[in-house]
Amino acid sequence: MPSRETGNGRLPIYLRIQDALTAEIARGAWRPGDALPSEDALARDFGVALGTVRKALGALAAEGKLDRRQGRGTFVRRPDFGNAMFRFFRHADADGVPLRPTARLLARRRTRADAGIAAKLGLARGDELLELFRVRLIDGEPILAEEIALDARRFAPLAALPADAFGDLLYPTYERVCGAAVARASEIIRFDRAATRVAKALGVARDAPVAAIERTAFAIDGAPLEFRRSYGPAERFAYALELK
């Protein structure tokens, strides 16, 4: 259960409860998909009115951190990033059913953070990174090449994890092996030319045009967890947006 200590006394009580619950989730008291204690239990624990707890939970739900399910309770939200990248690189079978990509780890190494990566991950320049390089495939055809940078200390168990234990989706692996749950991500899309190892992974010519998607993934408390660059052949890139 969370502590009655709710931080900065100058903040409104419901905001202090928000911060306290976020901190509890960040430290692993509740994992994505877990149910929080009932509203009555939280109100008793914090020593506040039921309406104050409901306001805090409603605000966290509006931020996408919690799911409130009628008649069932409040749960830590588990974001679904599984096929997020493939909204830009669409692939479906003959019946129009989206195809689920597989993944293959091509390389893994320890390296040092340059200034740019350090800033993305909240590290100091020169801090040790764990870098993953992998390819995403559909029916054995490479669709995306991915360069992934992680804090080597926080993700130390991945350094020795067997390649076939990573799975096709990395975020469940981060949570399962390292206790690091991704809550949200931000992306920047641009166009680039394929460097040598990206070209080789995708089976295209060096300097071939590629769509490049840069993603920074964050924990529920806002701490950056992962910086990723994903590259796909530019001719397969499509961006759809409905404006109302």
Side-chain angles (χ1 to χ4, degrees):
M1 292 290 288
S3 166
R4 288 174 180 266
E5 174 58 51
T6 52
N8 188 344
R10 292 174 294 179
L11 291 174
I13 294 175
Y14 84 93
L15 289 178
R16 284 182 266 156
I17 293 174
Q18 277 183 248
D19 289 346
L21 291 174
T22 298
E24 290 293 299
I25 295 169
R27 75 171 182 83
W30 304 294
R31 309 301 301 169
D34 286 351
L36 267 64
S38 69
E39 294 175 351
D40 286 338
L42 289 173
R44 287 195 303 270
D45 189 71
F46 283 113
V48 299
L50 187 60
T52 303
V53 165
R54 286 176 175 165
K55 187 172 183 179
L57 295 177
L60 289 171
E63 292 175 0
K65 296 176 179 177
L66 299 178
D67 284 329
R68 306 186 76 186
R69 304 174 191 172
Q70 185 66 35
R72 296 184 58 194
T74 303
F75 298 78
V76 180
R77 183 172 177 266
R78 182 184 295 279
D80 182 8
F81 296 100
N83 291 318
M85 211 66 71
F86 290 86
R87 68 189 183 277
F88 304 121
F89 300 90
R90 300 182 184 278
H91 292 268
D93 62 18
D95 298 320
V97 177
L99 296 170
R100 187 181 183 88
T102 59
R104 183 185 305 150
L105 183 66
L106 301 179
R108 169 176 33 182
R109 65 169 183 160
R110 292 181 181 271
T111 186
R112 296 289 173 179
D114 61 23
I117 298 295
K120 294 287 186 182
L121 292 177
L123 302 174
R125 182 175 181 175
D127 280 354
E128 191 174 30
L129 298 176
L130 178 64
E131 183 186 86
L132 308 177
F133 183 58
R134 68 179 199 156
V135 64
R136 308 287 295 277
L137 309 102
I138 291 180
D139 289 336
E141 179 186 3
I143 301 300
L144 285 177
E146 296 182 321
E147 300 172 335
I148 296 153
L150 305 164
D151 179 349
R153 293 167 299 178
R154 185 162 193 174
F155 291 89
L158 298 184
L161 189 70
D164 59 4
F166 276 83
D168 294 330
L169 301 178
L170 284 178
Y171 293 172
T173 302
Y174 296 167
E175 184 180 341
R176 172 176 53 86
V177 179
C178 304
V182 172
R184 65 179 180 88
S186 62
E187 292 181 343
I188 297 173
I189 305 168
R190 58 186 175 80
F191 289 90
D192 204 341
R193 295 193 176 275
T196 300
R197 73 169 180 172
V198 169
K200 183 177 179 180
L202 292 176
V204 300
R206 176 180 166 82
D207 291 330
V210 290
I213 302 171
E214 295 187 352
R215 174 190 287 183
T216 306
F218 301 88
I220 195 167
D221 62 356
L225 294 175
E226 175 206 72
F227 179 67
R228 175 187 310 209
R229 290 190 181 101
S230 299
Y231 303 91
E235 68 269 16
R236 291 179 176 158
F237 178 88
Y239 179 65
L241 177 65
E242 182 178 352
L243 300 175
K244 294 183 179 180

